[in-house]
Amino acid sequence: MHRPTQLNLYLTNRARLQAPWSQRGAIDAFERDWIAQRMSELGELSPPGSLAELKAAMKAQIEAEQQAPHDSETYVANHMPLGEFRTLVQEFAVDGLTEAQVFYYVLPRLPLEAQMPLLRIMIDEFGSGNIKRAHTTLYIKLLHELGMPTALAHYQECIGPSSFEFVNLFFWLALRADDASYFAGALTHLETVIPSFFECYAVACQRLNIQAHAYYTEHQHIDGFHAIEGQRLLTAMNATGVLDPAKAYCGALLASHITDRAFREAVAKARHATEQHACTTGG
Ligand SMILES: [Fe+2]
Ligand SMILES: [Fe+2]
């Protein structure tokens, strides 16, 4: 057995970028089972075999979602009272307070050309380096106006499992998925749907006279641009030979499924669960 060399160390370092935090402990098995379960719920997929097929399949998926009924969104926009809205804001606070921070782990997994569109998205997520404009700061302003705590630890104690799934999905995509294509598909899907999805929040803020609506309205504006960067990300990954169209499509569907569950369950919790509601006011 030869002694390892600096070359061996370098090659191992490069390889580890692709799975920096992979372990075989019980918590990783829990994560694998959870992701496998959610993937199995996606039903029969006809996986795209090329970039063009991927883009067409993602577009068709979004069109189908936009045809489907949106009872929870309609309720949030037109009827949800302020107390319930606070619970809804609570359920996405762990995401809002840590927004996009796990994306840093994806960047080195991509070829340089594909890092550029993701980096441009991240520059916006982090307010071009100005914390006052970082998306997390917009969430904090919303929490302030609603008289809610701004400590992450507070929300870790009160959000539901489906809200954690939304956050944990991005950890899996960024750190454990065996291919960055899953992340690219998931992110592109979400950036594409958010401008219309967040309309229900924007309307609710207007109806409830909430001034700190920028978290939602800024996303409605900027995610239109991020959706274009997402397409560029997929194109650059394809051009550099690292795109797996089937995995990117699976990532898009997984993000759609887990986001939909998180949103519906948060709305249901806001409407029905009084004891968790106390969490928003108690602390
Ligand atoms: Fe954002
Ligand atoms: Fe975005």
Side-chain angles (χ1 to χ4, degrees), residues 66-103:
Q66 284 170 348
Q67 304 286 310
H70 292 106
D71 298 345
S72 299
E73 289 176 42
T74 306
Y75 178 76
V76 170
N78 301 329
H79 305 291
M80 181 173 262
L82 184 61
E84 292 182 11
F85 190 76
R86 295 168 86 245
T87 302
L88 181 59
V89 169
Q90 164 196 293
E91 289 303 299
F92 288 95
V94 171
D95 178 65
L97 291 172
T98 60
E99 187 154 333
Q101 290 182 34
V102 80
F103 294 12

Side-chain angles (χ1 to χ4, degrees), residues 155-170:
Y155 296 100
Q156 288 169 184
E157 296 301 316
C158 39
I159 73 169
S162 57
S163 295
F164 274 120
E165 284 194 38
F166 180 65
V167 175
N168 285 331
L169 170 65
F170 279 92

Side-chain angles (χ1 to χ4, degrees), residues 125 191 223 226:
E125 300 293 341
E191 301 287 10
D223 283 355
H226 292 176

Side-chain angles (χ1 to χ4, degrees), residues 99-100 103 121-122 124-125 135 187 190-192 194-195 218-219 222-227:
E99 187 154 333
F103 294 12
I121 291 173
M122 291 179 67
D124 293 332
E125 300 293 341
H135 290 178
L187 181 67
L190 290 179
E191 301 287 10
T192 308
I194 281 174
E218 173 60 16
H219 274 108
I222 204 79
D223 283 355
F225 296 95
H226 292 176

